[in-house]
Amino acid sequence: QVQLVESGGGLVQAGGSLRLSCAASGLTFSMYTMGWFRQAPGKDREFVAGINWTGFRQYYADFVKGRFTVSRDNAKNTVYLQMNSLKSEDTAVYYCAAKGRTGVVVTTEYDYWGQGTQVTVSS
């Protein structure tokens, strides 16, 4: 049974930082592309960042480029999202997800999803 468990969310002031983690189990982590997504109230879920199975290629939505960094540790079956210079519009539930290592990374069509962690940025 595949499980993705996010942690690290919380309340932070605008301009601050948070680091999200996503621990994976039940799959051969190193063979999966990992993605981070977010969903704000009343909005669709959107792609935030993705990282390929080797960790050598990262992909970002335009609205987080230069502020967020995605990374992974295949030895720990964990993917991270370092979020800096947070803005109030970054407030959302953040989800990690996994998909097979082939195919498009920037998509919402991932195979497995976590339950999400709330990030709230106060202005």
Side-chain angles (χ1 to χ4, degrees), residues 6-116:
E6 302 94 339
S7 61
L11 174 64
V12 64
Q13 288 187 330
S17 299
L18 283 174
R19 188 193 196 203
L20 305 184
S21 300
C22 172
S25 61
L27 75 172
T28 305
F29 182 75
S30 61
M31 295 183 69
Y32 282 80
T33 290
M34 299 299 296
W36 285 98
F37 298 79
R38 71 186 188 186
Q39 188 167 20
K43 294 187 177 181
D44 293 335
R45 189 172 298 185
E46 60 184 356
F47 174 85
V48 174
I51 187 166
N52 79 330
W53 61 282
T54 65
F56 291 155
R57 298 195 68 176
Q58 300 87 37
Y59 305 81
Y60 297 96
D62 287 343
F63 53 79
V64 302
K65 282 182 180 176
R67 300 189 298 125
F68 291 10
T69 303
V70 60
S71 61
R72 67 189 295 162
D73 185 338
N74 285 348
K76 295 183 178 180
N77 288 2
T78 301
V79 61
Y80 305 95
L81 185 67
Q82 178 67 44
M83 306 186 295
N84 298 329
S85 302
L86 283 161
K87 305 174 182 180
S88 58
E89 51 263 44
D90 294 319
T91 295
V93 177
Y94 283 72
Y95 300 88
C96 75
K99 67 184 297 289
R101 63 183 183 181
T102 59
V104 177
V105 174
V106 185
T107 173
T108 56
E109 296 182 358
Y110 276 58
D111 300 314
Y112 304 104
W113 293 84
Q115 292 299 306

